[in-house]
Amino acid sequence: MKPKLKPYCRHVMSLGDGVIRFKMERASLEIPDPEGTVHSFVRLLDGTRTIVELSQETGLTLGDTEDAVALFDRYRLLEAESTEPPGLTERELVRYKNNLTYFSLHESLMNSRYDCQVKLKNAKVAVVGLGGGSIIAAWLAAMGVGTIVGVDCDRVELNNLNRQFFYTEKDVGEYKTVALKRRLEELNGDIRVEAVQLKVDSASSLLQAISGADFVVGAIDTPPLLGSRYVNSACLHLNIPAYYVSIGNKLGFYYRVDPIESGCTDCRLLHIMRSEPELLETTKRKWNRAEPDADFGNPGFAPNVAVITSLIASEIAKRLTGYGEPFPMPFGLIDFQGMSVSHRNIPKADNCPTCGRERPPEGPEPVPMEMLFALAESGVPAG
Ligand SMILES: [Zn+2]
């Protein structure tokens, strides 16, 4: 290993008052350097010296040299050796040049910018629902996710194009799966796109399509209430983390479900219905009406769709590559007017029939809505 200071770090480095400083976006580092020893050490970090050679040239002990290198690496000041990157073609090195620059800020001696890109290349993400989901699929294709699975049963309609802007007027009338596969492959010929023409009418119906995915995106609004519950149950059955998205007029939200760790879609529904009796009644009415937002239509608006879908794609990228931390809490609420994002937890319901103690021992199907209503009515109101 031959540590090298990242080139940009020389620009953010300053000296003065016996202190050497690195002022960066992520963090600042200040090291006392009254005799210029640290500065001399930094000058030797040009990728031509091993740690032993650094120790010999600076006169520091080997242990002190290792500690200094570890400190610099912890602050992401060092880049890995620029040896031949594994797993990427010459063409991919050109295509993802800016990704690599982006990843380079986070790169460490053990996780290079190339490693991040290779992790994307080796990843598989399934997108269920290719309305707003088509935009998420486009972000994923552009960043280089190696395999994208698109699931839908609908055709592209003219009134989709105000927000589902990855489709074109030529695609109107065509199945979304077919149109999206063609468009994604036009965007990025180095990835694999699987089009799954499927009407999601149960959790079981999804299992084959999402099997083997690293993440699933549930961007499905039909059947009302049930669509995302089917995705949720199928993902929990296969132990796959998932993201869900919904957009309203002023607000949009997304949330992630990590199997075992976090509350699931049904936990969330139980929590909502228990928090206020009125919400339980509203949900019941919506269910009994069994019409997809018939009173309000779909308020999807292109800029809002772009904001919320890019947040999900960014989260998935962070988790696939290790670049940065995902949002600390799983539920994100976006105010499109004020353009603010707030996060909160999704409490895990003890008696959730899908991920909790009362989970059925076998089978992926969610319990009927009526049972969820009964559980909501019997449960302790959420605080
Ligand atoms: Zn649950």
Side-chain angles (χ1 to χ4, degrees):
M1 182 198 300
K2 295 179 178 174
K4 180 183 177 186
L5 196 73
K6 294 176 184 176
Y8 90 94
C9 291
R10 297 202 185 277
H11 297 290
V12 299
M13 183 177 76
S14 63
L15 303 164
D17 305 325
V19 176
I20 184 166
R21 297 180 180 83
F22 293 92
K23 190 168 175 53
M24 296 158 289
E25 245 180 51
R26 288 169 175 274
S28 293
L29 175 64
E30 291 191 357
I31 309 172
D33 190 26
E35 293 164 12
T37 316
V38 180
H39 189 220
S40 300
F41 176 75
V42 168
R43 289 161 69 101
L44 297 177
L45 295 172
D46 61 0
T48 65
R49 296 168 179 84
T50 63
I51 289 180
V52 172
E53 288 165 341
L54 283 169
S55 164
Q56 289 166 346
E57 284 200 45
T58 55
L60 293 168
T61 66
L62 187 58
D64 285 346
T65 308
E66 286 172 340
D67 287 348
V69 167
L71 175 71
F72 275 54
D73 196 34
R74 197 158 63 245
Y75 277 83
R76 298 293 188 260
L77 298 172
L78 301 178
E79 63 185 28
E81 284 175 84
S82 54
T83 52
E84 191 67 27
L88 295 173
T89 64
E90 286 296 318
R91 181 182 140 90
E92 287 168 330
L93 290 173
V94 175
R95 163 178 271 284
Y96 302 121
K97 181 170 174 276
N98 290 54
N99 278 13
L100 297 170
T101 304
Y102 178 70
F103 294 139
S104 72
L105 298 186
H106 181 77
E107 156 174 60
S108 69
L109 293 174
M110 299 307 294
N111 188 26
S112 78
R113 67 192 77 181
Y114 305 107
D115 294 334
C116 289
Q117 192 63 50
V118 169
K119 285 173 185 169
L120 291 182
K121 182 177 179 176
N122 293 336
K124 176 177 178 177
V125 179
V127 182
V128 182
L130 300 179
S134 66
I135 309 298
I136 296 176
W139 301 136
L140 299 173
M143 71 172 76
V145 169
T147 305
I148 297 171
V149 181
V151 181
D152 207 306
C153 65
D154 290 338
R155 296 177 188 270
V156 179
E157 297 178 32
L158 186 61
N159 67 26
N160 295 152
L161 301 185
N162 83 307
R163 62 197 186 281
Q164 297 167 25
F165 48 85
F166 199 60
Y167 300 120
T168 69
E169 291 189 5
K170 285 182 186 169
D171 298 327
V172 171
E174 190 154 34
Y175 281 124
K176 288 183 173 178
T177 49
V178 176
L180 185 71
K181 178 176 167 64
R182 182 176 63 245
R183 296 278 289 127
L184 292 179
E185 289 173 347
E186 285 171 357
L187 172 65
N188 189 344
D190 293 327
I191 64 169
R192 192 160 160 258
V193 183
E194 297 174 16
V196 181
Q197 186 65 30
L198 175 70
K199 186 173 176 63
V200 179
D201 57 7
S202 63
S204 308
S205 67
L206 265 176
L207 294 180
Q208 189 177 353
I210 66 173
S211 175
D214 297 288
F215 286 96
V216 168
V217 176
I220 179 174
D221 56 7
T222 53
L225 290 172
L226 281 181
S228 58
R229 294 189 66 220
Y230 290 147
V231 179
N232 177 60
S233 289
C235 288
L236 290 173
H237 187 71
L238 295 175
N239 206 28
I240 302 173
Y243 283 84
Y244 300 86
V245 59
S246 181
I247 293 184
N249 258 310
K250 184 172 178 284
L251 302 173
F253 68 81
Y254 66 90
Y255 62 94
R256 65 170 186 256
V257 175
D258 290 315
I260 299 173
E261 291 175 28
S262 60
C264 76
T265 298
D266 283 349
C267 290
R268 187 178 156 269
L269 278 171
L270 285 171
H271 178 68
I272 290 170
M273 293 190 290
R274 284 173 184 162
S275 61
E276 288 180 43
E278 194 179 307
L279 291 175
L280 172 61
E281 293 310 312
T282 307
T283 312
K284 277 183 173 176
R285 279 203 304 277
K286 184 176 179 182
W287 170 247
N288 291 327
R289 191 174 59 207
E291 290 174 11
D293 294 328
D295 294 344
F296 306 108
N298 184 326
F301 185 56
N304 298 344
V305 171
V307 166
I308 203 163
T309 56
S310 65
L311 281 174
I312 291 174
S314 170
E315 278 276 287
I316 290 175
K318 282 190 280 187
R319 293 183 67 182
L320 285 172
T321 62
Y323 182 100
E325 295 292 320
F327 290 125
M329 287 190 278
F331 183 90
L333 184 71
I334 301 179
D335 176 351
F336 294 124
Q337 304 296 311
M339 211 47 88
S340 62
V341 184
S342 58
H343 285 93
R344 64 185 70 152
N345 201 10
I346 298 177
K348 197 170 170 70
D350 279 347
N351 62 350
C352 173
T354 311
C355 75
R357 287 200 293 266
E358 293 182 23
R359 184 179 178 176
E362 289 179 10
E365 297 306 328
V367 300
M369 278 304 297
E370 288 74 14
M371 189 178 291
L372 213 59
F373 292 140
L375 282 166
E377 284 163 343
S378 68
V380 180

